[in-house]
Amino acid sequence: MPGFSRREILLGGAGALTAFAAGGLGARQALAAEHSLTLSRLNHSVLPETVTADMMSFSPSGPPPVLRFRKGQTTTIDVKNALDEASVVHWHGLRIANNMDGVPYLTQYPIEAGNAFRYEFTPPDAGTFWYHPHCNTLEQIARGMTGVIVVEDEEDAGFDSDLPLNIRDFRLGGDGQFIAFYKPRNAARGGTLGTVSTVNWQPQPVYELAAGSLVRLRLAVTDLTRVGRYTVSGAEALIIAIDSNPLPQPVAMDEIVLAPGQRADVALRVPDSEDEVAKLVLKKPNGDKVLATFQPRGASAGRDLRELKPLKPNPVPQADLANAEVLDFVFGWSPGGDAPQASICGSLGYTFWSINRVAWGGDVPGPFDPLATLRHGKSYILRFRNESPNDHPIHLHGMSFQLLRSNKRKLPPLVTDTALLLEEETMEVALVADNPGDWAFHCHVIEHQKTGLAGFLRVEA
Ligand code: C2O
Ligand code: CU
Ligand code: CU
């Protein structure tokens, strides 16, 4: 997989706007502080003229809703489990209290069928996040359980509208029904790709947008497996944030590599005329694929990308690199190859992968040892070494980290919760261990996660 495009975009100054002019108002209605989700099975039409049976969602009637929270505002989410199996809900990228993080046994008991659980937390950061189950994760995500979270900042940047794009594949056969969610031989390699690409559960949706307006596209790659190269064609577009964190300087959206779990916020300037459509495109070696179309409507609003105000950085603490302790993590094959323990949260029946030579034993009560124990408030450099010929999007719960360096490429100083570690790459990242608890740490290719490439870090209170 190429990993250069993102670097090129971020390090190449070409096309970067040096300053956003002030201006652009966007009145937003108050956001509800209380939410509810009903985990449900449903039949739903993804492909035209067929109904896909046995999908799963956070709603009984359609795709997972976009959850909108406000930064610094406490929110509750009442989760009712109307599935016929256990689940838990994880809020990917939100730096919240450990007991609300939604990881079975590590932070809470699985929510059994018919039961409910109230999540309550205060998002500290603004941006684009997502939510998904962490129990029977492969199957529940494969059947549809991935939704976008938007955390609003107090101040609006001046967009005319906001468009969350939940980008993912489904593995459907020609009859529109699910086929095997994965193949073991792929799980031991790069993972199993889906067969139908969708945005917000639709193949190639068309979004009508006010001509000449400024739209905040919120790309969230919630796929199980696909590391993809994305671009926007036919319009001016700037990447303004990656993985919820604003870029110091927006850059032209030539192309961006996004791995499972990653997000990009893109400022789109909708073309002036109804004849000029813009497109979200997945770049593939065997031909580009249009994922969504943006259709201008009406007379041009005549907006300009320079009218946008810069996004405020999130309050992620900066590591003290001079005094940071280095912790090593090696991602590789599973040495023993023992099957994981059976769990009500599902097991694929194989272990192919490991972190520091230990394969995660399955989502069972444990106890398990943490991969490392960190002191509260202390700075750390995490050194990720990938011994394998596959890419791994490495994700940490509860804390964001800063990219420092790699042996393969020049890394931009991005702050993230999910970093794509390329094959045979060694990467260093830094964080402040400011959030006490046991934090899941795993590859976000779900087949890898569920066959051993998982563990947790402990931050002592
Ligand atoms: Cu997206 Cu362990 O999570
Ligand atoms: Cu997460
Ligand atoms: Cu992986």
Side-chain angles (χ1 to χ4, degrees), residues 430-444:
L431 58 73
V432 180
D434 67 341
N435 202 355
D438 285 346
W439 297 108
F441 178 59
H442 60 87
C443 177
H444 226 291

Side-chain angles (χ1 to χ4, degrees), residues 2 5 32 54 79 104 134 138-139 142 204 213 242 247 256 307 340 446:
S5 344
D54 285 323
V79 169
H134 228 280
L138 182 94
E139 176 171 353
Q204 305 195 348
S213 68
I242 292 177
L247 301 187
I256 186 169
E307 294 164 11
I446 308 295

Side-chain angles (χ1 to χ4, degrees), residues 90-94 101 132 134 395-398 417-418 440 442 444:
H90 168 61
W91 321 96
H92 182 122
L94 296 188
D101 193 46
H132 60 82
H134 228 280
H395 172 51
L396 175 63
H397 290 213
D417 49 70
T418 310
H442 60 87
H444 226 291

